[in-house]
Each structure stands twice: as C-alpha cells, then as structure tokens.
Amino acid sequence: MTSSPAARQARPIRLGPRSIGALALVSAVGVVAFGWPLIAGRDSGLSAHAQDAPWLFAALLPLLLAVVVATIADVGLDAKAIAMLGVLAAAGAALRPLGAGTAGIEPMFFLMVLSGRVLGPGFGFVLGAVSMFASALLTGGVGPWMPFQMLSMGWVCMGAGLLPGPDTLRGRGELWLLAAYGAISSVLYGTVMNLQGWPYLGGLATGVSFVPGDPVGENLGRFIAYCLATSLGWDLPRAVVTVLLSLALGPAVLKALRRATRRAAFEAQVTFEGPKA
C-alpha cells in the first residue's frame, strides 16, 4: 500500500461545493449582521447590536458546524484534522492575552494568518472563529461583540487561505505576501469590528455619530471619520506587530505547520498494489 506523492501537499480541509455553499451562507449572515443598521429607519427602534448579538451567536454555532459537516461530505475529515484545529485554536487563544489588546498589540493575528495560509480557507474560517470563542472564554471577554469577533477573525483566516500560490510560492516572496496581507487584514478587522460598536453613537451631537435613517452614503462618511479618529491608533500597531512577527517567525511557523500536515497525511490518496511476484 502506497500513498500518492500529491498527498504531501494536501490540505486538511479543501473547499468542495458543499463547503463553498456553507461558507457563503455564514458569510452572508455575517454581512447582514454587521450592515443592517445602515439601512434601518429612524423609527425602527434601533438598539445597535445589543439585541441581535445573542441571535447571531445562536445562528453562528450551527453554521460553523455546517461548514465542518459540509467539508466531511465533500472530502472527508478525520480525527487528525480535528486535533490540529484544537491545538491551533488553543495556541491562538493563549496568544491573545499576551497583548490584551494594549495599543493594538495582538500577537495572535500572525498565527491565524499563517495557519490559514497552510491549512486552507475552510479550515481557516473555522479556526479563526473557534480561536476567538476560546480566547473570549479565557479572558472573560464575553459580550455582544463576541460573535462579531468570531466572524471577523474567520474572514481573516479564510482570506489567508485564498491567497495565490499556496503550493508553489515559497521563501521571501511568500513571507512578504503574508506580511502584506496581515497588515491589511489587521486594519480591516478593526474597521469591520467598528460596525459593531459605532451604531451605539446614534443620537450623539458629534460629526462621527451614527444617524438611523440617514442615507447610507452620509452614514458611511461619518463611519470613515469615526474610524480615523478612534480605532486607527489601535489598528496600525496591530498591523505593524503582525508584519514583524510574520517576517521574524514566519519561516519557522510555516515549516512546522507544513511538516505537521505532511506527517498527518491529510486526505492521502491511498492505492493498493497487488502482491509482488
């Protein structure tokens, strides 16, 4: 019995038709959850995201399970992939309190980006969401923002898995690609997460507050001003830390992840040979 050489480059979780459908569904739910206040009317009784967060969390867990089940149906998923998911999620959750969000210093981002790169978009989305859930339990950061953090980090990891050249690009070029993606995704993460808290500013007499019922373009203008005035000072340090860690530790982490993937022989295509004469 021999395994195909192609299996050495196989990912624990590949995207099949069912996986793509499940990821598209959970992403669509996330976009609606983040963006619905922008189209809410003045008399809608808007209470930002405090009321919808429990419903989003209740919907998110079965949707994450649906991604895993869809992947099993597409390509199979064994105990080794689940074990790697648990180990990486625990590592990400343990890294997050090291910075505790101080000035945007969050070292878990570089590990999530590198893990998503090596292990693929499907694995990456589940890993990002589970890591945020575990870190919230570890740090006591459970609140209406948690399901939104899970979605945002899932998107960050999934995007890393969708970067070009996963099996061919190596060396310095790959490191710079991941560092650039880490910087951009670090800023975008903070920007997207602002949509969770910004609607709470509705009704305040400021030029950056949310005004329910106003045209989307006007609210988006206030939102951009809000991001520049508040969160950019946290997002940029997060991006710098992610770049530095990716360049400094990236070669060792990528090598370790790829070695673990090869040794686990995920999705190895097994063939049987007849008895030798």
Side-chain angles (χ1 to χ4, degrees):
M1 183 176 65
T2 61
S3 60
S4 169
R8 295 179 63 81
Q9 295 296 333
R11 293 173 172 178
I13 297 182
R14 294 184 288 110
L15 287 183
R18 297 179 183 87
S19 304
I20 293 174
L23 285 172
L25 176 60
V26 69
S27 295
V29 170
V31 170
V32 172
F34 274 105
W36 74 264
L38 293 175
I39 58 175
R42 294 181 184 273
D43 301 324
S44 61
L46 178 66
S47 181
H49 289 298
Q51 302 298 324
D52 59 324
W55 295 103
L56 176 59
F57 181 69
L60 183 57
L61 291 183
L63 286 174
L64 289 175
L65 180 61
V67 173
V68 177
V69 171
T71 303
I72 293 174
D74 280 333
V75 297
L77 182 66
D78 61 13
K80 292 178 289 187
I82 298 297
M84 182 171 285
L85 173 64
V87 169
L88 290 174
L95 281 175
R96 193 178 181 204
L98 295 182
T102 303
I105 300 174
E106 297 182 62
M108 75 175 295
F109 267 76
F110 98 97
L111 178 62
M112 296 293 101
V113 169
L114 268 57
S115 298
R117 167 67 170 179
V118 174
L119 303 175
F123 191 104
F125 185 89
V126 177
L127 172 63
V130 172
S131 297
M132 271 299 181
F133 178 70
S135 68
L137 297 180
L138 183 64
T139 61
V142 177
W145 52 83
M146 185 180 68
F148 297 93
Q149 289 177 329
M150 293 171 63
L151 277 168
S152 299
M153 186 58 75
W155 287 331
V156 168
C157 296
M158 181 175 69
L162 294 173
L163 291 174
D167 298 319
T168 56
L169 183 61
R170 294 291 185 269
R172 191 175 299 274
E174 182 181 37
L175 286 180
W176 281 108
L177 173 65
L178 293 174
Y181 174 80
I184 294 171
S185 62
S186 295
V187 175
L188 289 179
Y189 172 87
T191 302
V192 170
M193 278 304 301
N194 283 337
L195 282 174
Q196 183 271 326
W198 175 60
Y200 283 110
L201 296 178
L204 299 181
T206 70
V208 298
S209 62
F210 174 67
V211 180
D214 265 19
V216 173
E218 295 182 12
N219 266 326
L220 285 178
R222 298 188 190 99
F223 176 68
I224 294 173
Y226 170 78
C227 292
L228 294 175
T230 58
S231 70
L232 195 61
W234 296 72
D235 298 337
L236 290 180
R238 183 192 300 120
V240 171
V241 170
T242 302
V243 169
L244 293 178
L245 290 177
S246 297
L247 294 176
L249 303 178
V253 174
L254 288 171
K255 183 178 180 180
L257 288 172
R258 285 176 171 136
R259 184 189 302 117
T261 301
R262 287 194 302 270
R263 289 183 176 179
F266 294 110
E267 298 178 357
Q269 300 298 316
V270 179
T271 59
F272 294 89
E273 297 178 351
K276 295 182 179 180

